[in-house]
């Protein structure tokens, strides 16, 4: 449960909130911290925020991929032997198959008449949580 919750925080909530680039540009506008009695962050904080922005703003692959396809990111898993590489490829294929099923279910739900007939704010589809539109968080 802890791992699933961490994945939710990293992947889903970054999708909802976005990256911190627009906030980290100016410590006088949105500082992550500031000294007592000051209205803005320090120069050191500006550098830390800029570093964080650089580390989190790169484009990452989509979570949903076809094993062996152009968006296959399983090469990121370290393997010390061919047997271990094959085992990791099998795990990745099972994971992707589960994600494809989930994505199809969410697409079906989002397109259903039942969802559209609901009153606001309960009439939205499940696009934010659909792995088809989510990116991985492998850049850090």
């Amino acid at each position: 449960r802890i791992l699933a919750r961490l994945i939710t925080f990293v992947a889903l909530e970054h999708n909802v909130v976005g990256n911190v680039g627009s906030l980290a540009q100016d410590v006088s506008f949105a500082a992550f911290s500031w000294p007592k009695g000051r209205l803005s962050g320090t120069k050191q904080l500006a550098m830390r925020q800029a570093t964080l922005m650089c580390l989190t703003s790169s484009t990452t692959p989509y979570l949903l991929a076809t094993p062996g396809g152009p968006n296959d990111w399983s090469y990121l898993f370290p393997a010390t032997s061919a047997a271990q590489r094959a085992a990791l490829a099998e795990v990745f294929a099972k994971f992707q198959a589960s994600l494809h099923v989930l994505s199809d279910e969410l697409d079906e739900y989002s397109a259903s008449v039942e969802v559209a007939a609901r009153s606001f704010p309960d009439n939205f589809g499940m696009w934010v949580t659909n792995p088809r539109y989510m990116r991985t968080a492998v850049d850090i």
Side-chain angles (χ1 to χ4, degrees):
R1 288 183 165 215
I2 292 172
L3 181 60
R5 191 65 182 136
L6 289 173
I7 290 171
T8 300
F9 277 132
V10 172
L12 175 62
E13 294 185 14
H14 271 99
N15 257 4
V16 174
V17 178
N19 66 28
V20 297
S22 58
L23 298 176
Q25 292 178 23
D26 185 2
V27 293
S28 63
F29 172 69
F32 295 164
S33 65
W34 52 91
K36 186 175 181 176
R38 302 240 352 234
L39 295 177
S40 68
T42 63
K43 291 177 185 178
Q44 292 82 5
L45 178 64
M47 292 304 294
R48 287 196 303 266
Q49 285 186 197
T51 302
L52 178 63
M53 182 179 71
C54 290
L55 291 172
T56 61
S57 64
S58 62
T59 302
T60 58
Y62 283 101
L63 184 60
L64 191 64
T66 302
N71 296 323
D72 183 349
W73 45 269
S74 63
Y75 65 89
L76 296 170
F77 304 138
T80 56
S81 67
Q84 192 178 43
R85 172 61 52 208
L88 289 170
E90 183 180 340
V91 169
F92 182 75
K94 287 179 182 178
F95 175 65
Q96 288 299 324
S98 297
L99 285 179
H100 278 278
V101 169
L102 174 62
S103 180
D104 291 343
E105 289 174 0
L106 292 173
D107 284 340
E108 184 179 320
Y109 172 82
S110 297
S112 70
V113 174
E114 174 191 343
V115 173
R118 293 180 183 169
S119 61
F120 180 82
D122 300 319
N123 59 343
F124 293 102
M126 300 291 286
W127 300 287
V128 173
T129 55
N130 192 327
R132 183 180 322 279
Y133 308 113
M134 296 176 74
R135 292 190 175 273
T136 61
V138 297
D139 57 334
I140 299 284

